[in-house]
Amino acid sequence: MTDVPAPQLRISDQNRESALSALGEHMTAGRIDIDEYGERSARITAAKTRGELGEIFADLPAPHPRYEDSPPPVAAPEPAAAPAPSGPGNWSPPQRFLAAFVPLLFIVTIALIATGVVHGTLILVPIGLAVFGRSMWGHGGPRRHDRHLRDRERRRALRDSYRRELGR
């Protein structure tokens, strides 16, 4: 087992999320494969104490899960990201322009293609503008939060089913 502060202390959902995030980084780095990730993530969702989480990461280098009362690892400060716009009222002028212009461009392009005035590949112009706008301003808004809540519920269900299996 690794040197975990107060291994008998119970962990929170935030600790589990930190552990799942760290485990994902290990999978991305190629230290573990997808099957081992699935096995370890199930153990993380079922873990109750810091010691149990420490055992899961005993053979892996940093990153490890963080705990509320332990200081986060020292790293270079990252620049603060601008908050994602939450709705049309907070959009910048370029965002408003694209939001109004791209749908009109789609309609005009489809009409020109249908009448045979231009070639069908012209449809790539409004598609390109839509992709550009999405890449510049991201996905923002309430849908991201909803996905986070669904993922949390899925992890809790997985944890509970794993605990039931252990009880049998």
Side-chain angles (χ1 to χ4, degrees):
M1 186 164 73
T2 61
D3 186 27
V4 177
Q8 75 282 2
L9 287 180
R10 295 182 71 89
I11 58 173
S12 67
D13 285 339
Q14 182 179 359
N15 299 138
R16 287 184 193 90
E17 288 177 16
S18 170
L20 287 169
S21 175
L23 192 64
E25 290 183 36
H26 289 296
M27 186 179 70
T28 301
R31 293 186 190 101
I32 59 176
D33 62 16
I34 189 73
D35 294 328
E36 190 173 0
Y37 175 82
E39 175 188 313
R40 288 186 190 219
S41 63
R43 288 177 56 200
I44 287 171
T45 57
K48 294 181 183 177
T49 65
R50 290 180 177 186
E52 292 173 17
L53 278 186
E55 291 172 2
I56 296 167
F57 287 87
D59 62 338
L60 294 171
H64 290 155
R66 291 193 310 260
Y67 304 101
E68 290 90 13
D69 60 347
S70 62
V74 177
E78 295 184 21
S86 60
N90 296 331
W91 287 356
S92 67
Q95 287 173 306
R96 290 180 187 179
F97 174 76
L98 275 181
F101 182 70
V102 169
L104 292 175
L105 187 59
F106 266 110
I107 293 169
V108 169
T109 304
I110 291 170
L112 290 173
I113 291 170
T115 59
V117 174
V118 296
H119 194 267
T121 57
L122 187 66
I123 194 72
L124 296 176
V125 172
I127 291 172
L129 278 174
V131 169
F132 171 76
R134 185 73 156 196
S135 68
M136 287 295 293
W137 296 293
H139 311 297
R143 286 182 278 152
R144 184 183 318 172
H145 180 67
D146 293 343
R147 185 175 62 239
H148 170 73
L149 293 177
R150 281 193 309 273
D151 290 346
R152 177 184 281 180
E153 290 303 317
R154 183 184 49 79
R155 286 191 303 270
R156 285 181 179 168
L158 181 63
R159 177 192 66 206
D160 294 341
S161 68
Y162 184 75
R163 285 180 180 167
R164 281 193 297 273
E165 286 294 320
L166 287 178
R168 288 184 184 173

